[in-house]
Amino acid sequence: MKRAIVTRNVRPSLDARAGGHRLVDVIVQCLACARDNRLPAARMGDKPRCAACKAALFPLARPVSVANSNEFEELVRNSPSPILVDFWASWCGPCKTVAPELEKLARERAGKVIVAKVDTESLPEVAGRYGIRSIPTMIVFRDGRESARVSGAMPASHIAERLAI
Ligand SMILES: [Zn+2]
C-alpha cells in the first residue's frame, strides 16, 4: 500500500508574495515515484511538479496529515481553497468509519477542497483551540476562518452537504 502524502514542518521561510509573513515549508511525497518534494505552503495554489519524475504533485487527491500546531495555522491561513479538517484519534471507532469517506471527498474534490487530518492525541492544543469536544469533528475553513463544522460519522455526501463544500 502506498504511503499517504504527508506534509510536515521543515523550517520557516520568507516569501515575498505573502508580504514577508513567515511561512512553513511542507514536504509532499510524489505518488508516482515516492520522492519527497519541499514546497512553501503558499505554493499549494500553484501547480508544482515532482522534481524527479515531473508528475503533478497537485491537486492533492488525498488527505494530508498535519504534523504540528504551527503548520496547522499556516495551512489554514495560506490554503488557496477551502480546507476541510478532520479532528480524529486512533482509538475512535467512528473516526475509522469516516476516514474512507474523507478519502473519497479528497479524491472527488481534488483542486477544490484540501482535506487535512489532525490527530487530537498528538495535537491536543489545536483541538483545544477549536473547542473540539467529540470526534470525529470536521471543520471547514475558508480564507483562514471557520465557516462550518459537523460532528459524527456520516457518508461523504452528507459531509459535503452539511459543510457546504
Ligand atoms: Zn515523482
Side-chain angles (χ1 to χ4, degrees):
M1 193 178 149
K2 275 179 181 165
R3 280 192 292 155
I5 296 173
V6 174
T7 63
R8 56 184 181 269
N9 187 15
V10 181
R11 59 175 172 74
S13 64
L14 283 169
D15 190 314
R17 286 173 303 173
H21 294 306
R22 282 159 63 84
L23 297 179
V24 171
D25 284 351
V26 296
I27 289 183
V28 178
Q29 187 186 43
C30 174
L31 284 179
C33 75
R35 156 112 170 222
D36 282 343
N37 288 262
R38 180 191 296 239
L39 303 168
R43 280 198 64 207
M44 290 177 48
D46 300 344
K47 293 190 171 62
R49 291 184 173 273
C50 174
C53 77
K54 309 298 178 201
L57 295 174
F58 289 82
L60 287 174
R62 304 202 53 191
V64 297
S65 299
V66 179
N68 67 47
S69 59
N70 286 339
E71 179 179 312
F72 180 80
E73 298 303 328
E74 295 292 345
L75 288 178
V76 166
R77 200 175 306 136
N78 293 308
S79 178
S81 45
I83 180 161
L84 189 172
V85 183
D86 172 35
F87 292 86
W88 69 286
S90 58
W91 48 261
C92 156
C95 297
K96 288 193 182 77
T97 306
V98 85
E101 302 301 319
L102 292 165
E103 298 259 349
K104 189 177 170 191
L105 280 175
R107 208 163 52 235
E108 289 178 353
R109 287 173 167 67
K112 299 192 183 82
V113 174
I114 290 168
V115 178
K117 297 178 75 82
V118 169
D119 182 342
T120 56
E121 292 286 288
S122 53
L123 297 176
E125 69 277 20
V126 177
R129 201 180 300 147
Y130 292 95
I132 305 301
R133 289 191 184 79
S134 68
I135 50 174
T137 287
M138 290 150 278
I139 301 181
V140 167
F141 295 88
R142 294 174 192 270
D143 301 320
R145 285 194 203 89
E146 176 173 342
S147 73
R149 77 164 66 189
V150 68
S151 294
M154 61 191 79
S157 57
H158 290 204
I159 296 170
E161 195 183 313
R162 303 261 311 262
L163 295 178
I165 54 169

